[in-house]
Amino acid sequence: MVSTSSTTRGADVYTVVNPATEQPVTDVPLASVEDTDAAIERAQEAFPAWRDVAPGERATLLRRFARVVDEHVEELAELEVRNAGHTWGNATWEAGNVRDCLNYYSAAPERLFGRQIPVAGGIDVTFHEPLGVVGVIVPWNFPMPIFGWGVAPALASGNTVVVKPAELTPLTAVRIGELALEAGIPEGVLTVIPGKGSVVGQRFVTHPLVRKVCFTGSTEVGKQIMAGCADQVKRCTLELGGKSANVIFADADLGAAAAAAPYAVFDNAGQDCCARSRILVERSAYDEFLGLLESSVKAMAVLDPSDRDSEMGPLISAQQRERVQGYVDEVDVAFTGSAPDGPGFWMPPTVVLAESAEQRIWREEVFGPVVSVLPFDDESDAVAKANDTEYGLSGSVYTNDVGKALRVARGIQAGNLSVNSHSSVRYWTPFGGYKQSGLGRELGPDAPNAFTEEKNVFISTEGTS
Ligand code: NDP
């Protein structure tokens, strides 16, 4: 039995482990610095030809890539269930999300508009020009979507891309890389390089040919990436941690809010940067809401992720479970849901009643199936408590008062708010964090521009000067 990441990391091979069974799945070779340099150089060689592909043709190639991914949704989902312990429903959605991102950004090449700006003595036009080689560093919590969010707009803008999947979850990225070639994306335009963050990821930061790094992961590593990129004034986008609030007002449909709350935090076993891991409840509704929440948490189907009824799977690794358990061991647990016995990195959905906003479990990103609940007194107290964090990624507001919903959504310092809903991510709307949750935005209509430099050209109409 292979159980911890420390026992599986060899010199140049990583044994992928199924987190639901602890059984080895397959071995994946890990790239060295030399392998990484060679891949970056190939990406640089492929860049001029890819940049010069006519916009309509690049669009056609991306649509073909999307179609090939669509033909392999089941296969990709099956791989993710085994590699990451994602539920069947989630994994299918995630593979479809890669397809949808590619389709959406396949409309970008013909729409990379510049502007014509009024000037005296001539005309002034702007161009969006690709950067060159873009490096995308993907975490283990959403291996497919985060791959697509970086790769699709970067390719659409005419960049070539090198991708480093997380060491724990390389399988779908490797397969999607193969599908790109099958779809006719030229060699060197998209390269997947499995390897260690400290080797491959770090090389994306230090290699001068990589002109932008898109990083999703921990705030700690994100800060190192940003500092490293500064050395070459390299562009970077950071999608980091979160400690998002789910604010429930007494006038909300409490039944609906309590039914939704477990999915807002326990989806993907809580390993979600958008997890609403702090529930704030208006004091007058606190007891009623907790009763309703207990029923909905206990009703969650925590099952082997290959069971199509499963709503929550295991944690990604023994190490991650240990880390999460460390937070739970410090506090009193109010109630939990269930989890399977036997092998697998399982933990039940767990609810904690916070004693103060100073507790570690209330302040730090736990990244597991744990939620803390705290009462608030009024609207301004709710906003103050929601904002009392270094993070600012997402959040929810439940109320039947539309004015209050808007005031609170505008008052919370976070990039992605939902009212009477816990959805955060649509590929056609912008996504990113305030404060230490990140830098820059992904997705939405503007994402392709984030992979370009804007060039200004003035053309004199009055002879040479
Ligand atoms: P990391 O931030 O270490 O990993 C994210 C990605 O960055 C992985 O691909 C990793 O590679 C890579 N990486 C690691 N170190 C470097 C480096 N020095 N230079 C370049 N790339 C690097 O997260 P962990 O996997 O260690 O998870 C730890 C905690 O981080 C979690 O418990 C959670 O709290 C948080 N986290 C948050 C995420 C989010 O979306 N907000 C996502 C993932 C983690 P490798 O896999 O080889 O280490």
Side-chain angles (χ1 to χ4, degrees):
M1 184 176 72
V2 184
S3 61
T4 69
S5 53
S6 58
T7 59
T8 57
R9 283 172 203 225
D12 49 15
V13 166
Y14 178 74
T15 303
V16 171
V17 173
N18 182 333
T21 62
E22 302 184 39
Q23 292 303 306
V25 176
T26 186
D27 286 349
V28 175
L30 299 179
S32 62
V33 172
E34 293 72 28
D35 299 331
T36 309
D37 283 358
I40 292 168
E41 280 154 28
R42 280 197 302 277
Q44 176 66 22
E45 280 160 26
F47 171 59
W50 180 246
R51 176 193 57 204
D52 293 344
V53 169
E57 207 178 312
R58 201 155 66 228
T60 301
L61 280 166
L62 291 173
R63 279 194 284 275
R64 201 183 298 156
F65 187 7
R67 202 162 54 242
V68 175
V69 170
D70 187 48
E71 287 160 6
H72 292 80
V73 162
E74 286 245 336
E75 179 198 336
L76 290 165
E78 197 272 335
L79 269 181
E80 206 67 291
V81 170
R82 279 199 295 150
N83 187 169
H86 287 197
T87 62
W88 181 259
N90 277 9
T92 309
W93 180 89
E94 290 158 12
N97 186 253
V98 177
R99 171 204 57 218
D100 294 343
C101 251
L102 287 165
N103 265 329
Y104 179 67
Y105 290 112
S106 75
E110 305 102 318
R111 293 172 176 79
L112 272 180
F113 304 127
R115 291 177 289 183
Q116 180 267 310
I117 300 171
V119 288
I123 61 169
D124 192 282
V125 285
T126 65
F127 298 89
H128 284 283
E129 300 193 341
L131 303 169
V133 181
V134 170
V136 179
I137 301 174
V138 182
W140 45 260
N141 59 332
F142 288 110
M144 285 195 278
I146 293 168
F147 176 109
W149 302 354
V151 166
L155 291 180
S157 300
N159 302 277
T160 55
V161 184
V162 287
V163 180
K164 193 209 91 65
E167 213 177 329
L168 294 167
T169 55
L171 299 187
T172 48
V174 169
R175 187 68 187 119
I176 296 169
E178 293 166 357
L179 297 178
L181 288 174
E182 212 177 285
I185 302 291
E187 286 277 352
V189 168
L190 172 62
T191 313
V192 177
I193 317 171
K196 288 181 191 291
S198 55
V199 177
V200 180
Q202 181 61 19
R203 193 63 187 130
F204 289 2
V205 174
T206 58
H207 200 300
L209 287 178
V210 176
R211 296 311 311 146
K212 175 168 180 167
V213 173
C214 298
F215 172 82
T216 304
S218 60
T219 299
E220 189 191 349
V221 174
K223 287 176 185 176
Q224 292 169 24
I225 303 270
M226 190 174 172
C229 285
D231 196 45
Q232 295 170 13
V233 197
K234 187 174 290 195
R235 280 70 181 130
C236 67
T237 306
L238 305 174
E239 297 293 356
L240 309 176
K243 192 72 190 176
S244 299
N246 187 356
V247 183
I248 321 276
F249 284 96
D251 67 10
D253 178 339
L254 290 184
Y263 300 93
V265 59
F266 301 140
D267 186 54
N268 205 27
Q271 302 165 122
D272 180 346
C273 48
C274 289
R276 275 69 165 166
S277 54
R278 294 184 300 151
I279 300 182
L280 285 160
V281 191
E282 192 161 7
R283 205 175 291 279
S284 59
Y286 185 74
D287 291 337
E288 185 185 350
F289 177 81
L290 275 183
L292 293 164
L293 181 66
E294 183 163 4
S295 310
S296 56
V297 168
K298 288 190 186 304
M300 246 189 131
V302 183
L303 303 169
D304 187 297
S306 60
D307 182 328
R308 300 203 178 195
D309 292 330
S310 177
E311 294 180 313
M312 189 185 114
L315 291 167
I316 189 69
S317 64
Q319 195 184 8
Q320 187 64 13
R321 183 175 58 182
E322 215 173 282
R323 195 179 162 274
V324 175
Q325 191 62 48
Y327 285 95
V328 175
D329 289 345
E330 291 176 1
V331 293
D332 292 330
V333 169
F335 51 86
T336 72
S338 64
D341 295 326
F345 310 122
W346 296 99
M347 247 190 115
T350 300
V351 178
V352 170
L353 307 184
E355 283 160 15
S356 91
E358 300 314 313
Q359 282 180 297
R360 206 165 76 93
I361 205 162
W362 182 260
R363 304 204 75 79
E364 295 183 13
E365 183 175 51
V366 174
F367 229 58
V370 183
V371 70
S372 312
V373 190
L374 195 67
F376 66 85
D377 294 317
D378 55 22
E379 194 177 317
S380 67
D381 188 35
V383 172
K385 285 195 162 101
N387 285 338
D388 180 20
T389 167
E390 67 194 22
Y391 294 115
L393 192 53
S394 63
S396 291
V397 184
Y398 284 81
T399 171
N400 279 330
D401 177 338
V402 71
K404 190 195 288 180
L406 268 175
R407 284 193 303 274
V408 175
R410 296 296 303 272
I412 294 178
Q413 295 154 353
N416 303 84
L417 273 294
S418 352
V419 173
N420 296 328
S421 162
H422 61 82
S423 76
S424 289
V425 183
R426 293 173 185 79
Y427 56 82
W428 64 100
T429 59
F431 176 73
Y434 279 37
K435 303 194 276 187
Q436 294 197 29
S437 284
L439 185 75
R441 292 291 178 270
E442 295 189 296
L443 300 177
D446 301 327
N449 284 348
F451 293 96
T452 65
E453 291 288 4
E454 189 174 27
K455 178 177 283 178
N456 191 71
V457 177
F458 168 73
I459 306 151
S460 169
T461 52
E462 297 177 3
T464 46
S465 62

